[in-house]
Amino acid sequence: MKYELQPAMPPPSNLIGVVGWLRKNLFNGPVNSVATIVIGFFLISFMVPVIQWIFIDSDWIGDSRDDCTSGGACWVFIISRLDQFLYGFYPEAELWRLQLAFFLLIGSIVWLVMPQTPKKGLVAVWLLVIYPVAAFFLLYGNSFGLIQVETHLWGGLSLTLVLAVVGIVASLPLGIVLALGRQSEMPIVRSVCVIFIEIWRGVPLITVLFMASVMLPLFFPEGMSFDKLLRALIGITLFQSAYMAEVIRGGLQAIPKGQYEAADALGLGYWQKMILIIMPQALKLMIPGIVNTFIALFKDTSLVLIIGLFDLLAIGQAANQDPKWIGYSTESYLFVALMFWVFCFSMSRYSQQLERKLHTGHGNRA
Amino acid sequence: MSSDISNSSHKPDGGSAQPKAPPMDKPKFWNDPKKRSLLFQVLLLSALGFVFYTIIDNTLTNLEQRGITTGFDFLTSEAGFGIAMSLIDYTEASSYGMTFLVGLLNTILIAAMGVFAATILGFILGVARLSDNWLISKFATFYIEIFRNIPLLLQIFFWYFAVLRTLPHPRQSIEFFGSFINNRGFIFPAPVAEDGFGLVAFGFVAALVGSWLISRWSAKRQERTGQQFPVFLTSIGLIVGVPLILFLLSGMPMGLEHPELKGFNFRGGITVIPELIALWLALSIYTAAFIAETVRAGILAVSHGQTEAASALGLSKGKTLRLIVIPQAMRVVIPPLTSQYLNLTKNSSLATAIGYPDLVNVFAGTTLNQTGQAIEVIAMTMAVYLTLSLLTSFFMNWYNARIQLTER
């Protein structure tokens, strides 16, 4: 008698394909089945009208509220004010300056984020040091033959980006100094840094902005006046540097003690040790944390509307009060929310991806 | 070069060794880490002192020029403005000190409400995101990714201006069970205690004490004999049942004061102002997304072997979650959770943007504008939040030390 290996039978039809997937993921047990049906019902009865309102019954073309007739969302409102949402009250003839600054920013960020591009260090230095100065002259003007554009004309998405980028770039060096100070062995330096960090981290950004707009003018001699935007930027930078310091401290602490000791053994001085050995390793570990604080800052820039600056959200609020367009506030909130969401979500995805990449690298935990 | 060692590696007693060594050139004082650090610190202190001196000097000059007196005397003078919502008696004749107190209480109220709702919602979502039901976990993911990537202020505005402000006027209120919803808020009948209600309250307290005793007794019995006792159901029964029976027996000693439409608005009953509802919704929905992520991280941090061991013991899924996973996850969850609570409290200051009378609104807003005492007012406001966050971090450290894993 011959024994032969029988070919494997196919799995039962209710374990593979669509049915199998449904059974495994949606109906694996009575409780889950009921939950699926109930939640599915609510989702469908909620999502269908919402999608209908946003896409199907909505109006896109036109130039006044009379063109919004179909009962759905009135995107005409947003489209007719798109320039204001993006650029605030920046003079139309000078818009190319904003756009140039924006494309330079996006270009350098894409360069840094793409894995295969060369010379990332140079681009980072350009983005963190040269770009902010160049962008200031480009946006503010009054030199190099450019017309001056007062900061009260800045607004919309571009102001939000200005606040966030300046906030993060300016708070980085301050945060590094504070983090190093907090790690220092000198008691006075350490306590000054700890007090500074804990005070800013303990109060809401709103009170900091109030302070910057009300108290700051009192601190300086008579006749020295600050621009409203500059005052907000000072407040945001001080506030942000405390958070940045904590992120950097986390990165410094993640470097094994052996690295510090090896640098000491080589006879490197404090600054040589920090700049040549510790910081290059720590900065890599800090990038996800820095991106996360950047996301928080990006969302927090919307608070400047309370002290009277016209960022993206404030432009939306102002548009809602336009008597010609009363009653379409949902559309403008949705649009502004979408703008913020796109930026924050892509940044958080990037930081998650980076964390995964760093995690699988050489184990660096002490 | 070799004497230029960093401070961190240089022990203070390192210099006193080798008494017989040949006399060396005395090192330059800036190459001695001790002296150098002393110099740095003296420099830092004098720089700070100079900055503070300049600031104070400038401020005093500026204040004098504007004719603003400094000091906290303004706290006793009459405020002269009304506040839409107050937990204590407050009139326009009250002092600025009372204004401060009203704002502080309102801040604490919204923080407590927000913490309560956000915790419940956040835990549900955090567990739901790990559910093996595809629909539930995808729904939780969508919720978290959408709400945590949109600025809180925008969410507050949305609930306040786009949802609550568009509700009907008081005359066309939506009515249910004697309560009303309109664009002035949510109005419901106020309970009024009558004679004999003290008995019900006493029953409630007694039931609380009773269920605490039962839970202690049952824990002891389970340790001794291994038998379990349905503590949760008994406690619920006691806490709900005892006051209910006493309430019915004593002839229902509680009346309801129904709200009535008089003119353009409602009189009587309890009114929850729309600002509070909008702020509460936005704060809880926003913070819940963050709490859900910390809960998820905490659950994922519990090693998979624990879950497998629990199912090997024959524990059901719910019991595994409740008895094995959550208690261990809490160790990881509590520290970020406290900082989320702190964030929520600090974020409640956004109330000022829609006019909910919290501390920042009535004190750092109206009071500052009326008195011009910027320094004192901002300092007091900041001090409140600073105290809250220091208290929270003390509590967190204490709790962390208490639940620290004791390894044997």
Side-chain angles (χ1 to χ4, degrees):
Chain A
M1 207 170 175
K2 256 169 84 181
Y3 292 98
E4 236 175 64
L5 195 61
Q6 295 292 311
M9 297 277 282
S13 65
N14 57 5
L15 289 183
I16 50 165
V18 180
V19 180
W21 187 86
L22 285 177
R23 275 178 67 110
K24 184 162 169 281
N25 291 302
L26 293 178
F27 299 101
N28 55 344
V31 181
N32 258 346
S33 307
V34 172
T36 303
I37 291 168
V38 170
I39 290 180
F41 174 75
F42 277 110
L43 276 184
I44 288 172
S45 56
F46 173 75
M47 288 313 289
V48 168
V50 166
I51 289 173
Q52 201 158 19
W53 184 82
I54 293 181
F55 295 107
I56 299 169
D57 287 346
S58 54
D59 295 288
W60 297 80
I61 306 156
D63 40 32
S64 76
R65 65 180 298 152
D66 303 328
D67 296 308
C68 290
T69 46
S70 46
C74 176
W75 298 117
V76 178
F77 172 42
I78 304 298
I79 291 168
S80 69
R81 284 172 166 269
L82 197 59
D83 273 4
Q84 227 182 64
F85 275 110
L86 295 182
Y87 312 119
F89 311 104
Y90 212 82
E92 214 165 306
E94 307 294 322
L95 277 186
W96 62 271
R97 282 153 62 177
L98 267 185
Q99 285 153 352
L100 179 64
F102 179 75
F103 284 119
L104 280 178
L105 177 71
I106 294 295
S108 355
I109 288 177
V110 167
W111 189 284
L112 282 180
V113 169
M114 295 263 282
Q116 56 284 80
T117 46
K119 299 242 187 326
K120 283 205 199 311
L122 277 182
V123 178
V125 170
W126 141 261
L127 189 63
L128 292 179
V129 183
I130 307 167
Y131 175 76
V133 181
F136 170 78
F137 283 113
L138 194 58
L139 294 189
Y140 188 72
N142 204 13
S143 48
F144 303 114
L146 294 168
I147 314 167
Q148 180 179 349
V149 181
E150 292 282 352
T151 53
H152 66 85
L153 296 175
W154 301 15
L157 180 66
S158 46
L159 182 69
T160 298
L161 284 172
V162 165
L163 287 165
V165 170
V166 173
I168 213 80
V169 169
S171 66
L172 197 59
L174 203 52
I176 292 179
V177 170
L178 284 169
L180 292 179
R182 198 175 179 158
Q183 300 259 342
S184 159
E185 300 237 318
M186 300 181 243
I188 295 176
V189 173
R190 195 174 53 223
S191 24
V192 165
C193 291
V194 169
I195 291 172
F196 184 92
I197 293 174
E198 292 305 327
I199 284 184
W200 293 117
R201 270 161 44 94
V203 297
L205 180 57
I206 270 205
T207 56
V208 177
L209 287 174
F210 266 130
M211 198 189 96
S213 71
V214 183
M215 274 162 80
L216 212 55
L218 292 176
F219 288 164
F220 288 92
E222 184 75 3
M224 200 172 153
S225 72
F226 281 111
D227 187 88
K228 206 195 261 174
L229 177 64
L230 184 61
R231 277 181 291 178
L233 280 175
I234 292 176
I236 286 177
T237 306
L238 289 176
F239 181 79
Q240 198 62 28
S241 63
Y243 284 86
M244 198 59 98
E246 289 299 276
V247 170
I248 292 167
R249 183 169 73 119
L252 289 179
Q253 282 176 349
I255 304 298
K257 218 173 155 217
Q259 298 285 328
Y260 289 87
E261 287 167 353
D264 287 340
L266 284 176
L268 296 183
Y270 179 77
W271 291 108
Q272 286 172 315
K273 174 173 71 175
M274 282 301 165
I275 293 171
L276 296 174
I277 310 288
I278 306 299
M279 275 300 168
Q281 300 183 65
L283 272 174
K284 203 177 88 179
L285 294 178
M286 289 168 209
I287 294 176
I290 292 177
V291 175
N292 286 340
T293 54
F294 187 69
I295 297 174
L297 172 65
F298 193 79
K299 287 185 293 176
D300 278 349
T301 53
S302 56
L303 302 197
V304 295
L305 89 87
I306 291 168
I307 59 167
L309 290 173
F310 279 93
D311 78 314
L312 184 55
L313 180 56
I315 290 277
Q317 277 292 90
N320 293 341
Q321 255 116 54
D322 185 346
K324 277 186 285 181
W325 292 97
I326 289 285
Y328 295 114
S329 55
T330 309
E331 282 87 340
S332 84
Y333 287 131
L334 275 184
F335 175 73
V336 174
L338 179 74
M339 300 289 268
F340 273 107
W341 187 84
V342 166
F343 275 93
C344 295
F345 182 72
S346 39
M347 284 191 282
S348 83
R349 270 296 129 108
Y350 172 67
S351 117
Q352 278 168 17
Q353 182 209 332
L354 210 61
E355 263 170 65
R356 266 198 297 275
K357 212 167 102 187
L358 291 176
H359 197 68
T360 50
H362 52 97
N364 226 343
R365 308 276 155 197
Chain B
M1 193 68 203
S2 61
S3 60
D4 189 20
I5 341 173
S6 101
N7 307 317
S8 58
S9 68
H10 202 271
K11 295 287 178 291
D13 57 344
S16 58
Q18 298 171 336
K20 278 179 280 175
M24 289 200 303
D25 290 343
K26 225 178 160 202
K28 296 273 193 302
F29 80 93
W30 59 80
N31 279 340
D32 182 347
K34 258 193 205 164
K35 286 185 188 148
R36 197 173 43 190
S37 81
L38 200 67
L39 180 74
F40 273 144
Q41 304 195 48
V42 170
L43 276 179
L44 177 72
L45 268 190
S46 31
L48 275 182
F50 175 73
V51 168
F52 274 111
Y53 172 77
T54 325
I55 285 180
I56 291 171
D57 188 51
N58 280 331
T59 310
L60 288 180
T61 330
N62 283 329
L63 286 178
E64 207 170 311
Q65 269 174 356
R66 297 181 197 190
I68 301 171
T69 50
T70 47
F72 289 93
D73 293 341
F74 72 98
L75 285 178
T76 48
S77 50
E78 190 180 302
F81 64 94
I83 294 179
M85 192 192 115
S86 161
L87 297 176
I88 50 175
D89 272 341
Y90 177 87
T91 58
E92 290 185 9
S94 304
S95 64
Y96 285 121
M98 289 297 282
T99 315
F100 174 76
L101 211 57
V102 170
L104 181 60
L105 286 176
N106 281 343
T107 291
I108 292 175
L109 174 76
I110 183 66
M113 286 169 66
V115 162
F116 177 74
T119 309
I120 295 178
L121 196 57
F123 266 79
I124 294 176
L125 284 166
V127 174
R129 191 164 179 186
L130 293 171
S131 160
D132 53 7
N133 185 319
W134 182 84
L135 195 62
I136 293 179
S137 87
K138 277 286 167 285
F139 173 72
T141 311
F142 265 117
Y143 175 98
I144 292 166
E145 291 298 352
I146 285 178
F147 284 106
R148 93 187 160 142
N149 285 320
I150 295 175
L152 175 61
L153 190 59
L154 174 58
Q155 298 191 29
I156 294 176
F157 280 162
F158 176 77
W159 291 113
Y160 186 62
F161 291 111
V163 177
L164 295 178
R165 281 273 132 161
T166 51
L167 286 171
H169 292 284
R171 284 174 176 281
Q172 286 104 40
S173 297
I174 305 163
E175 187 181 351
F176 60 97
F177 301 120
S179 309
F180 301 89
I181 290 181
N182 56 44
N183 63 4
R184 302 281 181 88
F186 174 53
I187 302 132
F188 58 91
V192 183
E194 289 165 10
D195 293 345
F197 191 74
L199 192 65
V200 181
F202 173 76
F204 179 69
V205 174
L208 279 184
V209 174
S211 31
W212 181 67
L213 289 176
I214 286 178
S215 77
R216 279 192 48 170
W217 166 81
S218 97
K220 272 193 187 147
R221 193 181 76 147
Q222 194 181 348
E223 262 179 31
R224 212 176 51 242
T225 64
Q227 282 173 309
Q228 288 181 342
F229 185 81
V231 181
F232 185 69
L233 288 179
T234 331
S235 307
I236 292 281
L238 273 179
I239 292 169
V240 176
V242 171
L244 194 69
I245 291 170
L246 284 175
F247 183 68
L248 293 175
L249 281 182
S250 56
M252 299 203 258
M254 194 179 72
L256 285 176
E257 187 201 36
H258 287 281
E260 276 172 54
L261 189 63
K262 290 238 177 81
F264 290 108
N265 210 347
F266 281 91
R267 294 281 163 79
I270 295 176
T271 305
V272 183
I273 53 174
E275 289 83 10
L276 177 62
I277 304 176
L279 193 62
W280 186 45
L281 277 173
L283 275 175
S284 339
I285 288 176
Y286 180 75
T287 316
F290 288 91
I291 291 182
E293 284 297 273
T294 66
V295 168
R296 183 175 78 111
I299 291 177
L300 287 179
V302 176
S303 113
H304 196 58
Q306 299 283 330
T307 324
E308 284 172 346
S311 49
L313 284 176
L315 293 183
S316 70
K317 249 187 189 169
K319 271 197 170 166
T320 309
L321 201 62
R322 197 157 52 82
L323 297 174
I324 310 289
V325 177
I326 300 266
Q328 299 187 66
M330 284 319 274
R331 229 178 246 133
V332 185
V333 170
I334 293 283
L337 190 64
T338 13
S339 65
Q340 285 308 329
Y341 289 167
L342 206 57
N343 280 346
L344 190 145
T345 313
K346 286 191 282 176
N347 282 337
S348 73
S349 59
L350 295 186
T352 184
I354 55 168
Y356 171 75
D358 82 321
L359 183 64
V360 172
N361 187 14
V362 297
F363 200 62
T366 320
T367 303
L368 194 154
N369 283 340
Q370 289 196 1
T371 61
Q373 309 244 299
I375 311 273
E376 294 85 348
V377 167
I378 300 269
M380 277 174 78
T381 315
M382 284 186 154
V384 166
Y385 287 102
L386 210 54
T387 316
L388 283 178
S389 64
L390 287 181
L391 283 180
T392 315
S393 65
F394 275 128
F395 166 78
M396 199 174 83
N397 291 340
W398 169 81
Y399 184 87
N400 254 341
R402 209 181 78 101
I403 62 162
Q404 202 59 251
L405 198 64
T406 40
E407 288 181 346
R408 278 172 282 223

